[in-house]
Amino acid sequence: GDAMRSAGATRVGPGTRGARPSASVFRKASARKSAAARRRASASAERASPRPDDVLEEILETIRSAREANTNPDFFELLGVQVGTDPTAIRSSYRERMRVAHPDVAGSEGHEACVVLNEAYATLMDDELREAYQVERVFGAGVRGMSGLRDAQDLPSDIGAALRRTPYTGEPLSKVVGRDHFASKIETNEQAAKACFVDEITCIGCGQCSTYASGTFRNEQENGRARVFGQWLSTEDEIQEAIDMCPVDCIHWVPKEQLAPLEYVMQHVLRDRAVFGKSPGDVFAKTAKFIAAIQKATETENNL
């Protein structure tokens, strides 16, 4: 009986009796476990990281889809990053994608992919170009998908109220004529890429601008403040003279992609002018919030 109890006390597994395994056995078992863990980690990494062929196909599909829709490919999709991604991560993703899309690797299809990837990278790595692109990305295509935003619950109250009163169309509120229109004073591509905007909160209604560039500026009857009536209906010299003569610096050149949201925010979100010496806010700061809020709401809708 004592022998049986002793045997039972030393049982370590089915059909196993004996002393504690030696250290070498533990080392071998540990080595086997480590090797298995490395294999699992490697398999997991392979599943997490798409194959080069899949990455290339993703890039080419983004380009093809944009071509079919007669639009430009989305730079964030091309580089596989999100809005707000750190520049270091953008650079890393760009380099990875350039490796798989290089013509020496991908053949003739890689040439176009590299050209577009370079453009996307140059845009997203430059602060000013990235900001202008994000505006164009949200608003440049007009009002696609924006009709429901008037009822979005997560929009700031003043922006939501403005959208409920007056839907945002994505189009400038000032008159815009084509470059080939007889009244257009655009002569260069650089001029065509910018527009004129009046910060009506700062304006004091002096009337100087409408004197120097009467085709471009008008003074509102309601409050006497200046507003751009039509883009490029005066020469650049005339507009620049009006800017230089403004005593409060309320006239600005802005990228054309920013004109529509700036004018909407000025005329609809900040429609209540300064009262009792209190400013309704900085139009540029408010427009940045407007763009960010609608971009977030648009992405939320698209994910539903």
Side-chain angles (χ1 to χ4, degrees), residues 173-190:
L173 299 179
S174 54
K175 184 178 181 64
V176 177
V177 298
R179 188 169 176 174
D180 57 349
H181 191 278
F182 74 91
S184 174
K185 299 300 190 292
I186 295 176
E187 297 178 344
T188 67
N189 291 335
E190 183 180 351

Side-chain angles (χ1 to χ4, degrees), residues 88-99:
T88 302
I90 294 177
R91 182 181 298 108
S92 175
S93 183
Y94 162 75
R95 289 174 175 172
E96 177 185 344
R97 287 174 176 247
M98 284 295 288
R99 280 195 294 271

Side-chain angles (χ1 to χ4, degrees), residues 123-135 255 258:
T123 299
L124 298 190
M125 289 298 287
D126 182 280
D127 290 343
E128 291 186 3
L129 291 177
R130 183 175 63 253
E131 180 181 347
Y133 176 71
Q134 288 182 205
V135 174
Q258 296 182 12

Side-chain angles (χ1 to χ4, degrees), residues 275-304:
V275 178
F276 302 119
K278 294 183 178 180
S279 170
D282 181 326
V283 64
F284 292 97
K286 179 60 72 173
T287 300
K289 292 179 180 179
F290 175 77
I291 291 169
I294 292 190
Q295 184 169 19
K296 180 180 178 181
T298 302
E299 291 175 350
T300 299
E301 280 198 348
N302 290 339
N303 290 333
L304 293 179

Side-chain angles (χ1 to χ4, degrees), residues 96-133:
E96 177 185 344
R97 287 174 176 247
M98 284 295 288
R99 280 195 294 271
V100 302
H102 194 280
D104 289 347
V105 176
S108 59
E109 285 187 322
H111 176 72
E112 182 182 7
C114 285
V115 170
V116 182
L117 284 170
N118 281 329
E119 182 183 2
Y121 179 70
T123 299
L124 298 190
M125 289 298 287
D126 182 280
D127 290 343
E128 291 186 3
L129 291 177
R130 183 175 63 253
E131 180 181 347
Y133 176 71

Side-chain angles (χ1 to χ4, degrees), residues 1 11 23 47 52 85 96 101 117-118 156 179 193 214 234 241 274 277 291:
R11 187 175 295 275
R47 289 193 297 271
T85 297
E96 177 185 344
L117 284 170
N118 281 329
R179 188 169 176 174
S214 58
S234 305
E241 188 171 11
I291 291 169

